[in-house]
Amino acid sequence: MSAQKPGALLRVDPATVTAEQLAAAAEVLRSGGLVAFPTETVYGLGANALDPGAVARIFAAKRRPPDNPLIVHVASTEDLEGLVGAVTPLARALARRWWPGPLTLVLEAAPPIPAVTTGGHPTVAIRVPAHPVALALIEAAGVPLAAPSANRSGRPSPTTAAHVLADLADDVDLVIDGGPCTVGVESTVVDARGDRPVVLREGSISREDLLVPSAELVRRGPPDAAAPGLRYRHYAPRCAVEVAPPGQAVARAQELARNGRQIGLITAEGGDRTAVSRGPEIPGVTVLAVFRDAQELAQQLYGGLRAAEDAGVDVVVVESVEPVGVGRAVMDRLRRAAQG
Ligand code: TXA
Ligand code: MG
């Protein structure tokens, strides 16, 4: 399958990466192996999307339920050709506006996409990632890459190569380390088969963003529309997660710590909280991350949850943000993580 030992690491500089540097990784993919790679959102666990055996390895590595379909990553809008049925005018407009970028379009699947990739669904989810390493890898491999987030099913998504190795070192042939992901939450998944976008999973492109180009129609998607993956337990670290209202995270962490438990804190910068993050430690409370806005929380949330595990805390208290823009996706993930 591949010359690499499981969990081999290849470090690349996203600013200068070339397809040549990724030739060995491309060969692993072409011969049916698994390569984890950075995208702008989170790290993906990639395999040749057209090779059923390779895709089956993704499900085995992640312990992912087989009816939870994968996202297919391509290098440009032209690559949709042959992979999907009709490219609707809506899909074309959204792709023009947002690709490369953190938007996944669900369209009718064409025959070359094997059923294992779509989880047996008649549709396929597809996106062009905005990350130079991901794009160079797809081009070097010369095949579309099926890639879910590169975490064990149910765990927080990985935003660094170290997170990938922590979950999947024994199950992945090669991990490409291109540094930390900039966005930090997964792509927005949109059903683009009709004439209005239906949001199936909140992501870094918000509903407000999608108002371009099709106005208020977005809001009229079926209220229960959801990506199949959202049925499952998600984003949960191996400790309890508690969401605190804005401005109350520090007090809540202190209160919990008074009962003798080890508490982790992910809190917003500002006011008293500045003193907390910079000043003397509160006994029993470990400050794991401090953010200024929803985008920074998005970037730091999954790493913060994993850091909470590493620090051995019993409960991690996370300060909430307003559920608008990327804040909506962050609060969605946080609620799911808190459900455990
Ligand atoms: O940002 C991202 O989307 C990352 C990077 C690696 O691209 N990928 C990612 O993949 O988050 P994953 O597998 O963790 O999440 C894919 C989501 C799941 O909720 C899945 O159910 C949904 O997309 N999905 C995939 N195919 C679908 C389809 N045909 N119809 C509806 N939802 C679909
Ligand atoms: Mg995932």
Side-chain angles (χ1 to χ4, degrees):
M1 178 124 348
S2 78
Q4 268 89 16
K5 285 208 318 271
L9 192 65
L10 171 68
R11 279 207 184 78
V12 297
D13 178 352
T16 59
V17 67
T18 62
E20 289 68 42
Q21 275 181 293
L22 298 174
E27 188 44 42
V28 172
L29 290 165
R30 278 194 300 269
S31 56
L34 301 186
V35 176
F37 61 94
T39 80
E40 77 279 33
T41 56
V42 301
Y43 273 71
L45 179 62
N48 177 356
L50 306 181
D51 175 345
V55 173
R57 286 193 63 206
I58 293 180
F59 283 88
K62 284 190 57 117
R63 321 262 194 274
R64 182 176 175 106
D67 63 348
N68 187 7
L70 304 181
I71 295 173
V72 174
H73 296 68
V74 294
S76 76
T77 305
E78 287 79 70
D79 297 342
L80 286 180
E81 206 62 51
L83 299 178
V84 305
V87 181
T88 58
L90 172 65
R92 217 167 274 294
L94 290 172
R96 199 176 311 121
R97 171 68 183 84
W98 294 109
W99 282 355
L103 179 70
T104 294
L105 299 179
V106 169
L107 291 165
E108 208 179 284
I113 307 274
V116 61
T117 301
T118 64
H121 298 269
T123 52
V124 62
I126 200 156
R127 83 177 186 102
V128 178
H131 195 291
V133 175
L135 293 172
L137 182 67
I138 298 164
E139 284 188 341
V143 292
L145 299 184
S149 51
N151 51 284
R152 192 83 79 190
S153 232
R155 304 259 309 130
S157 295
T159 53
T160 66
H163 297 160
V164 177
L165 288 170
D167 279 18
L168 299 175
D170 295 335
D171 302 279
V172 59
D173 295 303
L174 178 67
V175 178
I176 303 176
D177 184 351
C181 300
T182 51
V183 173
V185 291
E186 301 85 346
S187 63
T188 307
V189 179
V190 166
D191 186 339
R193 286 176 295 167
D195 57 6
R196 61 193 68 176
V198 177
V199 177
L200 303 180
R201 179 178 70 179
E202 306 287 349
S204 73
I205 293 175
S206 68
R207 284 164 190 262
E208 294 82 1
D209 294 332
L210 290 171
L211 295 178
V212 186
S214 62
E216 35 80 56
L217 297 174
V218 180
R219 301 212 173 113
R220 285 201 244 131
D224 58 345
L230 298 184
R231 284 200 301 274
Y232 300 102
R233 179 179 162 271
H234 251 94
Y235 316 113
R238 298 188 186 96
C239 58
V241 178
E242 192 177 306
V243 183
Q248 295 178 34
V250 173
R252 180 63 184 148
Q254 281 171 310
E255 184 185 332
L256 289 169
R258 272 197 291 275
N259 300 329
R261 288 195 289 175
Q262 290 301 311
I263 307 302
L265 178 61
I266 298 177
T267 185
E269 180 85 56
D272 291 349
R273 287 154 288 174
T274 311
V276 167
S277 60
R278 303 227 176 102
E281 295 215 354
I282 321 167
V285 177
T286 308
V287 179
L288 300 163
V290 178
F291 60 87
R292 278 172 300 193
D293 54 24
Q295 177 47 49
E296 275 193 12
L297 177 56
Q299 246 169 40
Q300 297 187 51
L301 178 62
Y302 293 141
L305 295 179
R306 284 174 180 267
E309 292 179 338
D310 295 344
V313 304
D314 301 305
V315 185
V316 55
V317 176
V318 187
E319 185 162 349
S320 51
V321 292
E322 228 196 305
V324 294
V326 70
R328 198 195 312 262
V330 173
M331 289 310 296
D332 165 74
R333 304 308 192 268
L334 204 43
R335 263 194 310 278
R336 292 170 193 277
Q339 279 161 11

